Amino acid sequence: MIRDVRASALIALCCAVAGVGLAGCDESAQGDANPSEIMEWADGEGSFTGTKKIEVDGRSVNVSCSGTPVEGRPVVVLLHGGGDGLGKMAGFQQSLSERDRVCSYDRLGAGASDQPDGPQTLESGGEVLTAVLDQVAGDAPVVLAGHSLGGLIAARYAPDHQDRVAGLVLMDATSPTQSADLAKEIPESATGMAVELREQTLAVLRGESPEKLVVPDGEVRSAGDIPVEVIQHGKQYLAAVPEYGPGLERAWSGGQRKWLAMSSRSTLISAANSEHYIYVDQPGLAVQAVQRVVAQAAGD
């Protein structure tokens, strides 16, 4: 029994600390809706509701859109965490689409999209994101809302695309210095659960995951004065790691604060009743954060 509990805790902690996909991450939380239940139909040139595949450099990328475009308001684009897919965020997407146009996509190596040909970088992943935005938003501005690894990808993408990214919501985003944070908090002398956590997480950050995405540490770059909301988990579940848990919580919180440097209009809030999956544990709080950023981006 104890061994099973430790194994489950390790999987959950690896998913959270890395923010990237390890086998078993999907067991930690599930969205409320199944994307297969959404019918696909065209509703005008260049626009659609439901799911469809688009081609990006010869690879098939799975995309889902819902909600009606509103003139003067950005399109919301959701970026899932590592080990997840757009289906995990389907319930969140449906809630947001009651007011705005909302789209999501499976990155290469995730969900129903094709596998990558080889290792991916944040730059090559950004090219896929650009192709998705061209399809789902056209010339309209976008608000990127990313969870975990998806938050890091959104935050790395925005500074180089200030012409189209009008706002960001980062939900427990992977730290910009995740590898260094983890190596510092769990030294090589560590044993047991802690060392397993460190080694598995660092391996995934090197690209040893289905997405094959290499995630290097880096400085936070400014995306100008766009509205940015950073949401961090409030339940300190990382403290469950024997001996090193409190340090991991401090490092994670520090990583969230680092993202505030992205904009002069950044704010940090804590989801008091949430662990890593904030949009599942406290969906209302996450929805309100996205709606606030969309409203600010639209000049409301």
Side-chain angles (χ1 to χ4, degrees), residues 56-82:
V56 179
D57 291 333
R59 311 302 289 174
S60 177
V61 177
N62 191 46
V63 179
S64 170
C65 288
S66 52
T68 303
V70 179
E71 185 175 357
R73 288 176 71 86
V75 175
V76 178
V77 177
L78 307 179
L79 287 82
H80 62 76

Side-chain angles (χ1 to χ4, degrees), residues 4 8 25 78 82 91 105 118 130 135 137 145 189 194 213 239 264:
D4 291 342
S8 297
C25 282
L78 307 179
Y105 74 106
T130 294
Q135 288 274 340
S189 60
L213 178 63
S264 57

